[in-house]
Amino acid sequence: MVDVSEKSATRREAEASAFVAMSPRVQEALNGNPKGDPLETARLAGIMAAKKTADLIPLCHPLPLAHVDVQLRQCENGVAISSKVKTTAETGVEMEALVAASVAALTIYDMCKALDKGIEIREVRLERKSGGKSGDYIREK
């Protein structure tokens, strides 16, 4: 792991997103899914995953997370996912935000794969980050 012991603990935030593309038939079946509510289950899975990021990514520092939020929104051709993570630590939370969005997307796939194996997880990406030595980053639209 990179040595961050000389860095100051500062407020850091990151936002990430993902998109789950699915057919209209799968979208219509989201509310009646026999496994339960895919969107709420995915929201909780994303939050839990952010908290386990250092267990999943070998050289990632374990961080005290102050806030994790995962939002899911049904769109015309799938589900848009956004995650936001905050901490006060010596290193950033980009990976936590990306893991939250990714696992939320994977959870939707898992809960809907019986209807269609062709569901696609697309566009997992960092949208914004603030704090730390490298400063702010905002993805250009």
Side-chain angles (χ1 to χ4, degrees):
M1 287 175 26
V2 172
D3 184 358
V4 296
S5 62
E6 298 298 318
K7 293 173 121 183
S8 298
T10 60
R11 180 182 169 96
R12 297 161 189 264
E13 295 182 16
E15 294 179 19
S17 64
F19 187 77
V20 182
M22 59 183 65
S23 69
R25 181 176 72 87
V26 176
Q27 280 199 310
E28 290 170 12
L30 283 175
N31 289 334
N33 192 302
K35 290 184 174 184
D37 180 351
L39 300 183
E40 183 59 17
T41 303
R43 186 182 76 81
L44 291 172
I47 292 167
M48 293 171 66
K51 294 165 47 173
K52 294 290 188 180
T53 299
D55 294 334
L56 299 169
I57 300 181
L59 300 178
C60 202
H61 291 86
L63 297 175
L65 302 183
H67 178 73
V68 179
D69 183 42
V70 177
Q71 299 289 319
L72 295 97
R73 178 177 51 85
Q74 237 178 305
C75 303
E76 181 179 330
N77 55 348
V79 177
I81 301 165
S82 62
S83 64
K84 184 175 187 177
V85 182
K86 297 179 184 181
T87 191
T88 302
E90 295 80 14
T91 191
V93 286
E94 297 92 354
M95 294 311 300
E96 287 75 6
L98 287 162
V99 166
S102 299
V103 170
L106 289 167
T107 300
I108 291 172
Y109 184 93
D110 178 56
M111 293 189 72
C112 299
K113 68 183 184 246
L115 294 170
D116 184 4
K117 303 283 190 279
I119 295 167
E120 294 180 12
I121 296 171
R122 301 179 181 166
E123 303 164 20
V124 177
R125 59 192 189 190
L126 181 67
E127 297 292 344
R128 182 185 75 79
K129 76 109 176 147
S130 64
K133 184 173 139 184
S134 64
D136 295 351
Y137 167 81
I138 299 174
R139 174 174 294 284
E140 292 183 21
K141 299 293 176 186

